[in-house]
């Protein structure tokens, strides 16, 4: 490895603890499917943080639980700003709550696709800190 390549790896992974980076490299090396190749930064990042697909499905699970328990009547705050952004892009919390059960697989697919798009950018886009529910609009 040249100093330039090491510098690239360092810049890309410096936001992680050194122990986490070492652990990810060791797990990559021991992986029988792809451990025979030098890990790319993305390989190490994926081993530390998980894939965008997994993150998107975890986020969708949170949304689905909220739809089933809170409904679209109340304001909602998720612990993930990307959920707020994606739901806003899809028309908002209220519109999501109005979708019939039969449309859920299509809504899920759209949510996961949009979420992964934002997650791959590696930045937090502008988002509403609170997703307003129906009661918020009735009191205005």
């Amino acid at each position: 490895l040249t100093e330039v390549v090491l510098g690239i790896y360092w810049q890309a992974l410096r936001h992680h603890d050194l122990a986490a980076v070492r652990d990810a490299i060791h797990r990559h090396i021991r992986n029988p499917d792809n451990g025979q190749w030098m890990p790319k930064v993305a390989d190490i990042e994926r081993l530390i943080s998980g894939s965008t697909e997994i993150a998107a499905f975890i986020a969708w699970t949170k949304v689905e639980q909220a739809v089933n328990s809170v409904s679209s009547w109340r304001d909602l705050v998720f612990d993930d700003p990307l959920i707020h952004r994606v739901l806003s892009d899809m028309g908002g919390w209220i519109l999501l709550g109005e979708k019939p059960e039969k449309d859920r697989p299509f809504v899920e697919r759209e949510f996961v696709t949009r979420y992964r798009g934002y997650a791959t950018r590696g930045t937090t886009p502008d988002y509403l800190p609170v997703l307003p529910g129906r009661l918020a609009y009735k009191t205005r």
Side-chain angles (χ1 to χ4, degrees), residues 111-122:
F111 178 91
V112 167
T113 300
R114 288 175 181 266
Y115 188 99
R116 290 183 75 190
Y118 281 115
T120 56
R121 293 181 189 145

Side-chain angles (χ1 to χ4, degrees), residues 29-135:
I29 291 167
R30 290 189 310 267
N31 183 321
D33 293 330
N34 56 13
Q36 68 269 27
W37 293 289
M38 173 72 180
K40 297 183 276 310
V41 171
D43 296 325
I44 298 167
E45 185 69 44
R46 187 172 30 261
L47 286 167
I48 294 171
S49 303
S51 70
T52 59
E53 182 177 32
I54 290 169
F57 282 115
I58 289 170
W60 175 252
T61 299
K62 292 176 183 179
V63 169
E64 207 164 38
Q65 287 172 344
V67 167
N68 293 331
S69 63
V70 176
S71 81
S72 61
W73 282 96
R74 295 185 22 214
D75 294 352
L76 197 61
V77 176
F78 288 97
D79 63 351
D80 181 348
L82 292 184
I83 293 174
H84 286 241
R85 181 64 212 201
V86 171
L87 290 180
S88 294
D89 288 353
M90 293 174 65
W93 176 235
I94 296 171
L95 184 63
L96 179 70
E98 293 173 347
K99 299 279 184 185
E101 186 70 33
K102 67 179 178 59
D103 290 345
R104 287 267 175 94
F106 306 107
V107 174
E108 176 184 0
R109 188 173 315 124
E110 180 183 358
F111 178 91
V112 167
T113 300
R114 288 175 181 266
Y115 188 99
R116 290 183 75 190
Y118 281 115
T120 56
R121 293 181 189 145
T123 60
T124 303
D126 293 336
Y127 66 96
L128 294 172
V130 176
L131 294 169
R134 294 173 195 265
L135 291 178

Side-chain angles (χ1 to χ4, degrees), residues 1-6 9 38:
L1 292 175
T2 66
E3 280 190 43
V4 171
V5 172
L6 286 174
Y9 274 69
M38 173 72 180

